[in-house]
Amino acid sequence: MGGNNGARQTLTPAGYRSRIAEKDAERALGTARALLIEGPKGCGKTWLAKHLARSEVLLEHDPAARALAEAEPHRVLEGPVPRLLDEWQLVPALWGAVRGTGDARGLPGQFILTGSATPADDLTRHSGALRIRRLALRTMSLAERGWSTREVSLAGLLRGDAVAAGRTGRGVPEAVDALCRGGWPGFDDSVPTAHIVDALRSYLADMARTDIRQVDGVARDPVRVRALLRSVARNVSTAANLNKLASEASPGASLGRHSVRAYLDALEMLHVLEPLTVWPTHLRSRSPLLKSPKHHFSDPSLAVAALRASPERLLADPEACGLLFESLVIRDLRVYAQAAGAEVFAFGDVGGTEADAIVDGGDGRWLAVEVKLGGSKQIEQAARSLLSVKGKVDETKMGAASKLLVVTAADGYSYERPDGVAVAPMSALGP
């Protein structure tokens, strides 16, 4: 990647803020022939790709280039490398062309592809294994926005490092404002929160009206799409089943569970929704694990927009506020975990034992997380739940927990309790 320094001076957009995923992207370009960056529209994929690229083709904004790509896809691949092909899925034939050209050149770091939608024929396209590396780019975490002090490192938690940090000066009101604003790099700190929420309502409306057709060409009723988004938003951070989502989206039963499943699949391919799947683990007991994933938007601000909520309304509704704050923490844990080579899962069994998140390092290291707005009673409850989770997991097969962590929205210290459970505010977490 050493030859890219000059390119960054010319292609890096003004106002670009460094992303945690940059290191993963650079490593991928050093080994794979192409890098595919996927994520929701507006999360900063193009800016990150421009920061790494030496030339570009912007298919969404250049009709002439798109027409050429459709007619002769190999011709748009010529240029200094890495060459950015932005919104490549608008010309699906580019996948095969990139794969073939990369094979012919036999060198890493040839192309960067970005996409806001996963084409419906994804499974039928020629495999990009060992040729095209995928990288998920999410909206900006609190650490990337400069909102967090980063004093409590997720990588350090996986190592079992001690937790000790001072107060951050940010409490529940600031956390609620942060989840309403989201992590969208296009909005700087000067934009009022209410204006961002209004913009995100328009974002969802445009997605329901036009973008959702991109994934498979199927026309869907935008009114039903918006109704389903509201239903998912009301059930964020829960494992509500299809029947519940359908009944809340369409009280008149005009939207069936099979339609809900198809809509959810399309919304996931658009990277609007990112469900949290269940941790595949071994238990000491015979109590079976719950299997349904938990519902999450790719950014909790989209759930706020779908609900037409505001910081003031959420502060007056602690239950809804707590679930949305949990979703914010999940988003950030996913960003930090990816940088550490880890994954984030949900955990729960039919006996009622659960954790809001499990961060699995994939090498026998794992930590369990409970999320609470704050308060000593909530922290005590969360600590008991985490200790119960630890007692249920078969550590002879999964390894011992590196850490049990309660994440709060309150302005407090980061510390470890006598029972071994660590407590840290969201505003102290980092990669």
Side-chain angles (χ1 to χ4, degrees), residues 14-358:
Y16 174 77
R17 287 193 276 185
S18 180
R19 304 300 298 269
I20 291 171
E22 279 177 28
K23 291 183 179 178
D24 284 337
E26 290 178 341
R27 280 195 295 267
L29 288 170
T31 56
R33 290 163 189 168
L35 169 66
L36 170 60
I37 304 175
E38 295 182 301
K41 184 174 288 188
C43 73
K45 299 182 301 298
T46 302
W47 281 27
L48 172 58
K50 281 174 173 282
H51 181 66
L52 300 170
R54 294 186 61 202
S55 64
E56 64 184 11
V57 180
L58 306 179
L59 295 165
E60 187 174 30
H61 304 292
D62 188 342
R66 182 172 172 180
L68 177 62
E70 290 171 343
E72 300 179 71
H74 287 86
R75 286 186 59 188
V76 299
L77 304 185
E78 297 300 323
V81 300
R83 184 162 173 80
L84 165 61
L85 306 173
D86 191 46
E87 297 296 345
W88 75 272
Q89 79 281 353
L90 296 174
V91 185
L94 282 172
W95 182 272
V98 165
R99 180 175 175 269
T101 301
D103 286 350
R105 295 177 182 176
L107 297 171
Q110 297 298 297
F111 303 105
I112 304 173
L113 292 75
T114 68
S116 301
T118 304
D121 63 347
D122 184 68
L123 295 178
T124 66
R125 288 184 283 119
H126 291 295
S127 170
L130 300 179
R131 298 177 175 90
I132 303 176
R133 285 275 304 277
R134 293 174 182 267
L135 177 70
L137 186 69
R138 299 176 174 88
T139 53
M140 297 184 77
S141 65
L142 297 182
E144 289 169 299
R145 287 179 51 194
W147 196 90
S148 165
T149 65
R150 301 188 180 212
E151 290 180 274
V152 179
S153 160
L154 185 69
L157 291 169
L158 283 169
R159 291 192 300 265
D161 293 353
V163 173
R167 300 180 71 161
T168 65
R170 300 184 189 272
V172 174
E174 291 82 6
V176 172
D177 187 68
L179 74 86
C180 290
R181 296 178 67 85
W184 309 95
F187 299 120
D188 63 34
D189 293 341
S190 67
V191 181
T193 301
H195 294 183
I196 294 176
V197 175
D198 285 342
L200 293 176
R201 289 173 186 162
S202 178
Y203 176 106
L204 290 178
D206 289 342
M207 181 277 303
R209 185 172 57 253
T210 59
D211 292 352
I212 199 167
R213 297 188 183 189
Q214 292 182 9
V215 297
D216 55 12
V218 176
R220 295 181 173 88
D221 181 357
V223 174
R224 291 184 176 182
V225 174
R226 291 197 298 271
L228 179 59
L229 287 168
R230 286 193 296 273
S231 178
V232 175
R234 283 193 292 270
N235 291 281
V236 76
S237 300
T238 76
N241 62 31
L242 296 180
N243 288 331
K244 187 174 193 296
L245 294 179
S247 65
E248 293 191 8
S250 54
S254 59
L255 188 61
R257 65 189 307 274
H258 296 297
S259 296
V260 168
R261 180 69 269 165
Y263 278 42
L264 292 177
D265 289 343
L267 291 166
E268 288 173 31
M269 286 190 284
L270 275 173
H271 307 287
V272 172
L273 301 180
E274 188 176 4
L276 189 65
T277 57
V278 175
W279 190 35
T281 187
H282 298 275
L283 300 182
R284 296 180 189 273
S285 68
R286 295 183 179 180
S287 181
L289 288 166
L290 298 174
K291 296 182 179 180
S292 298
K294 285 189 174 183
H295 301 289
H296 288 279
F297 284 75
S298 56
D299 190 288
S301 63
L302 294 177
V304 174
L307 293 170
R308 304 185 70 83
S310 65
E312 295 75 20
R313 285 182 57 191
L314 291 177
L315 287 169
D317 186 347
E319 182 177 357
C321 187
L323 292 171
L324 285 165
F325 177 65
E326 178 182 331
S327 196
L328 173 67
V329 174
I330 295 299
R331 191 278 312 274
D332 278 17
L333 287 177
R334 282 171 154 159
V335 174
Y336 306 152
Q338 181 171 281
E343 294 184 79
V344 183
F345 298 94
F347 175 86
D349 67 14
V350 296
T353 302
E354 65 175 278
D356 293 328
I358 298 289

